[in-house]
Amino acid sequence: MAKQEKLRIFKARDTKLSNKKDKLINKIADCLQNKRPKANERLMLLNTSDPDAETDLLSYHEINSMPYIFGTILRIKNKSDKDEIQTVSDSILSSNSFSLDDLDDEKITGAYVYHSHYYFMLLNGYLVTNLKGNITIKRFETYLNWLLNTSDIGFDPVLRQKVEEMPISDIHSIVLGEKVKKSTKTEQIRVTERIMNALIDLLNDDNSIKIDTLEEIISAKVILTIKKNKNMTDEEFEQSLAPVLKRMGQNDLEDVIFKGKNSTIKGNDVLETKPIRVDTTDSGHLNQEQIKQEMSTYINECSQSD
């Protein structure tokens, strides 16, 4: 059996930790081998008030002399009486690294249960992951910054150089539709709703305009005009545009339009991604070696066209 996966690729932002070749990978390797060698030392609790105690964990890792790091980020939570799925015991958390197959062999005695996971690879200044498209890369950044006790690590999406015969450098405006949301700690707010509220504040001196009534007759869009400096190279333009797209999940990008001189393209088409098919094991897990090789190949393809 095989499963369809989508690889997403990002480039390490130029920071103190990533501006020198392999510095970030070496720092992560040192952390995993020396500073936090046991998995239970890498448990990042998402929220202290959460009764489920959802926690992220770099559970499995391979470190190669190339160098690259390939690994699994596991999300686990407190076990409840209703849970009858893979458990994560204290004994396995005391190991340096464990795979999903190791969880299959676990007895149902663990305090935590499996919730979800994704794979990643860091190589040549690139990050590739199969993290779901509706989740921003901020999830991985947050964990890595916590793991290394820093705030310097960041990744920006790699953009396709050309989409439907339109070079990325030709983009002159970005249109944000009604589905685009701004995430806060407690909720997701539509960007256009913020605009409607601001419009009411501006025009509604006597409180005669209600937002519900206004939304029935007006739909809002946000148009961002791109002011590209004539001296800016295509590479510099891409580096400036990538952080704008980074904060949007792929669901948001479905309602984003990029306008060029003679054509328009959808937001999802701007991001560099690669669909792959990966064999699965009898227990339903992805073939880990195969997805690792696919990630390495994808990074090499993108770095050659860099």
Side-chain angles (χ1 to χ4, degrees):
M1 295 288 291
K3 185 179 178 182
Q4 187 80 20
E5 291 287 315
K6 179 180 283 187
L7 299 182
R8 302 162 62 189
I9 187 162
F10 302 81
K11 204 168 186 179
R13 199 176 306 139
D14 189 10
T15 66
K16 294 177 182 178
L17 276 177
S18 60
N19 59 4
K20 292 183 179 179
K21 183 175 175 59
D22 305 328
K23 186 175 181 180
L24 175 58
I25 290 179
N26 291 335
K27 191 169 182 67
I28 297 172
D30 178 59
C31 177
L32 296 175
Q33 294 170 338
N34 302 309
K35 295 180 179 178
R36 296 178 187 257
K38 293 183 179 180
N40 58 17
E41 297 172 321
R42 304 193 294 268
L43 294 167
M44 186 190 79
L45 180 64
L46 271 59
N47 191 308
T48 55
S49 302
D50 179 14
D52 287 336
E54 286 192 26
T55 299
D56 280 352
L57 164 66
L58 203 170
S59 56
Y60 177 82
H61 56 83
E62 294 180 20
I63 302 170
N64 186 278
S65 58
M66 286 181 62
Y68 71 70
I69 291 181
F70 170 76
T72 308
I73 301 291
L74 197 64
R75 178 157 290 188
I76 56 179
K77 64 177 184 176
N78 277 343
K79 182 184 176 185
S80 71
D81 294 336
K82 297 179 181 179
D83 290 319
E84 296 181 356
I85 53 177
Q86 291 167 308
T87 62
V88 185
S89 67
D90 289 339
S91 61
I92 202 168
L93 287 174
S94 65
S95 63
N96 175 262
S97 179
F98 61 89
S99 68
L100 296 179
D101 287 333
D102 294 328
L103 290 184
D104 289 339
D105 297 333
E106 280 280 278
K107 295 179 180 179
I108 307 178
T109 57
Y112 292 100
V113 293
Y114 166 89
H115 184 271
S116 62
H117 75 282
Y118 62 92
Y119 295 100
F120 74 92
M121 174 178 277
L122 286 163
L123 171 66
N124 292 338
Y126 286 92
L127 163 70
V128 167
T129 178
N130 68 333
L131 183 66
K132 290 182 179 179
N134 62 341
I135 302 173
T136 71
I137 200 60
K138 188 68 178 175
R139 176 179 293 194
F140 180 73
E141 285 179 347
T142 299
Y143 181 79
L144 206 54
N145 276 299
W146 171 85
L147 184 70
L148 300 181
N149 192 27
T150 183
S151 59
D152 286 337
I153 300 169
F155 299 92
D156 292 326
V158 175
L159 308 184
R160 290 177 178 164
Q161 294 300 312
K162 205 170 189 179
V163 184
E164 297 176 358
E165 301 306 314
M166 177 178 144
I168 294 298
S169 56
D170 279 358
I171 294 174
H172 63 67
S173 63
I174 304 174
V175 181
L176 307 183
E178 294 185 345
K179 295 180 183 178
V180 180
K181 297 179 178 66
K182 164 66 177 177
S183 297
T184 68
K185 291 183 179 180
T186 57
E187 61 181 340
Q188 287 191 330
I189 302 171
R190 286 186 295 128
V191 173
T192 52
E193 184 177 332
R194 288 278 183 91
I195 301 299
M196 296 289 264
N197 285 329
L199 183 62
I200 287 178
D201 289 340
L202 180 65
L203 303 176
N204 199 19
D205 291 337
D206 57 358
N207 294 321
S208 61
I209 303 176
K210 303 297 182 183
I211 188 167
D212 292 340
T213 303
L214 194 63
E215 286 188 326
E216 289 179 2
I217 59 175
I218 297 175
S219 65
K221 289 185 178 180
V222 179
I223 300 177
L224 307 176
T225 301
I226 306 297
K227 295 181 179 179
K228 183 182 177 184
N229 190 308
K230 293 181 180 180
N231 297 322
M232 182 181 286
T233 65
D234 289 351
E235 182 179 359
E236 290 171 337
F237 179 74
E238 179 181 339
Q239 290 173 353
S240 299
L241 183 60
V244 176
L245 304 180
K246 171 187 173 179
R247 301 303 174 188
M248 303 178 189
Q250 286 193 311
N251 287 353
D252 290 331
L253 285 171
E254 290 176 1
D255 205 29
V256 176
I257 298 293
F258 292 85
K259 293 189 174 183
K261 294 176 182 178
N262 301 307
S263 60
T264 61
I265 51 178
K266 293 182 179 180
N268 273 336
D269 295 332
V270 173
L271 299 181
E272 177 62 55
T273 60
K274 182 179 182 179
I276 60 171
R277 288 188 66 80
V278 182
D279 293 334
T280 57
T281 64
D282 291 340
S283 55
H285 300 314
L286 295 179
N287 182 319
Q288 201 164 270
E289 180 61 32
Q290 186 179 348
I291 195 169
K292 180 179 72 174
Q293 291 179 18
E294 291 280 5
M295 287 180 168
S296 177
T297 298
Y298 190 27
I299 289 176
N300 288 330
E301 290 171 354
C302 289
S303 59
Q304 287 174 6
S305 60
D306 204 359

